[in-house]
Amino acid sequence: MKFIIFNQIPLYIAVENENIEIIKLLLENDQIDVNIISVFETISTRINFHGGDSYSNPVVRDRSKVTVLMKACQQSNIEIVKLLLSIKSLKINDYSTYLNIHGNDDDEDDDYDTEMYDESYYRKEISKTALVEAVGNEKLEIVKLLLSNDGIDISLPFTFCKENSQNSQNVTATPLKMALKIGNKDLIDLFTNKWLINKIIFFFFFFF
């Protein structure tokens, strides 16, 4: 049995469809909240029987929480990214998250034997900002746009967590570290220049 849950805002749908005119129309509304996160969730369940009773047990769960800015960066649409960045209330550093679970990850609330689910248990979670997404896809022009925003935080890392019943793995990397690993000189130069500018601004305000 599969359950599919969507919670999409109109702005997200317009960004996904790359409909520039509708995006402009929506952004003209003072009541629009560009920071609402759209949620997508799919749950596949298996019916199990124990002691004459039946239980619905989650087998696979996928959940994504995505910002409109992240969606625009995923689609590499520079014009839409510019439009979103023009909104002062935009939280440019918000994370989008992606969760994938196989098996049962909550044994404490179960009244029946879940050993078979423990053996196959698998969980993967990814969290990243729009800047991380743009760097990972080596979208130089979008990275430039994001870095030109005064509110950007270049220290916020990409995080990757994976675990199963035997072991776990956790990885974190800042956008600069990702650029270094990719080996893209142009991206590295962008972050180096941004770092130097931040240092100069800090020095000026601290000592003058």
Side-chain angles (χ1 to χ4, degrees):
M1 185 179 297
K2 179 177 289 188
F3 301 93
I4 302 176
I5 303 168
F6 294 105
N7 181 19
Q8 296 171 279
I9 61 171
L11 180 59
Y12 182 95
I13 296 172
V15 170
E16 184 177 41
N17 293 328
E18 300 184 276
N19 195 318
I20 303 295
E21 294 307 313
I22 292 181
I23 293 171
K24 288 179 179 178
L25 185 64
L26 290 169
L27 293 179
E28 287 175 359
N29 190 321
D30 294 336
Q31 302 302 313
I32 194 75
D33 186 348
V34 295
N35 299 306
I36 294 178
I37 294 176
S38 292
V39 180
F40 310 86
E41 185 166 13
T42 303
I43 303 174
S44 298
T45 63
R46 178 184 299 161
I47 303 299
N48 299 281
F49 297 92
H50 179 78
D53 296 319
S54 62
Y55 301 87
S56 178
N57 190 51
V59 177
V60 179
R61 180 185 294 118
D62 290 292
R63 182 189 302 135
S64 301
K65 297 181 178 180
V66 187
T67 67
V68 290
L69 181 60
M70 171 63 78
K71 190 61 182 178
C73 290
Q74 287 175 340
Q75 299 186 168
S76 304
N77 194 310
I78 295 175
E79 187 175 357
I80 294 178
V81 172
K82 285 181 180 179
L83 285 172
L84 294 174
L85 290 177
S86 70
I87 306 302
K88 293 182 179 179
S89 61
L90 178 73
K91 296 179 180 178
I92 192 173
N93 299 306
D94 275 1
Y95 274 88
S96 293
T97 59
Y98 308 87
L99 175 68
N100 175 253
I101 298 174
H102 288 251
N104 194 321
D105 66 329
D106 189 10
D107 290 342
E108 292 182 2
D109 296 331
D110 293 333
D111 297 325
Y112 56 96
D113 186 7
T114 57
E115 184 178 354
M116 61 176 292
Y117 298 104
D118 293 341
E119 292 175 355
S120 61
Y121 172 68
Y122 172 87
R123 177 189 179 100
K124 180 174 70 175
E125 185 167 6
I126 297 172
S127 298
K128 54 185 175 180
T129 63
L131 179 59
V132 166
E133 178 71 17
V135 170
N137 291 328
E138 299 185 69
K139 300 301 180 181
L140 193 64
E141 293 305 314
I142 291 181
V143 173
K144 285 181 182 178
L145 280 174
L146 296 171
L147 290 178
S148 67
N149 188 287
D150 293 336
I152 195 71
D153 187 344
I154 63 175
S155 67
L156 293 177
F158 156 85
T159 63
F160 173 83
C161 303
K162 182 173 70 174
E163 64 179 23
N164 55 38
S165 57
Q166 284 77 40
N167 53 56
S168 62
Q169 176 187 7
N170 294 280
V171 177
T172 61
T174 63
L176 175 56
K177 186 175 180 180
M178 290 177 62
L180 289 167
K181 186 172 183 179
I182 293 170
N184 189 312
K185 183 180 182 301
D186 292 331
L187 284 175
I188 295 169
D189 288 343
L190 284 177
F191 281 100
T192 302
N193 293 336
K194 181 69 175 180
W195 181 83
L196 288 173
I197 291 171
N198 287 347
K199 288 295 182 182
I200 292 170
I201 292 173
F202 173 79
F203 180 83
F204 178 82
F205 280 102
F206 188 79
F207 290 100
F208 293 94

